[in-house]
Amino acid sequence: IRMILKFQEVKKFPRPVPFIPVGVNYRKGKLRTDVKISIGEPLFAKGESEAKTFTQTIMEEIARLSNLKQVNRETSIHRS
């Protein structure tokens, strides 16, 4: 994520690159496995300086979409 954000800064993109969080949740049944894919809203960061908190935000959103236990931390989510 840090490298993409740095590239975004260096190339002076007119808009931030969207990061799309995707969650996967599955449950094994008797005959087959049920899989649920959840796609979140695009998340954006302005630059490399936001990489650490932005990575945490993305991970929290993936955990939420996957119905996994989350670590509660204050982070900012940038949505379009």
Side-chain angles (χ1 to χ4, degrees):
I1 292 173
R2 181 180 304 280
M3 289 172 42
I4 294 170
L5 293 176
K6 184 175 182 176
F7 182 77
Q8 171 182 284
E9 277 184 64
V10 170
K11 296 297 182 180
K12 298 183 170 116
F13 288 0
R15 294 187 194 120
V17 174
F19 289 80
I20 312 295
V22 177
V24 179
N25 191 352
Y26 61 93
R27 181 182 60 196
K28 187 130 178 118
K30 290 181 181 181
L31 299 175
R32 63 181 86 166
T33 301
D34 295 327
V35 178
K36 179 183 173 189
I37 307 294
S38 301
I39 301 172
E41 295 291 324
L43 303 174
F44 301 89
K46 294 179 182 174
E48 186 182 10
S49 64
E50 297 180 26
K52 187 173 182 176
T53 57
F54 189 60
T55 299
Q56 183 64 37
T57 298
I58 292 169
M59 296 303 292
E60 289 173 359
E61 185 64 5
I62 291 169
R64 185 187 71 76
L65 291 167
S66 300
N67 292 323
L68 299 173
K69 184 178 177 182
Q70 297 182 47
V71 175
N72 292 329
R73 295 186 185 183
E74 287 188 22
T75 57
S76 59
I77 297 177
H78 306 279
R79 298 181 190 247
S80 65

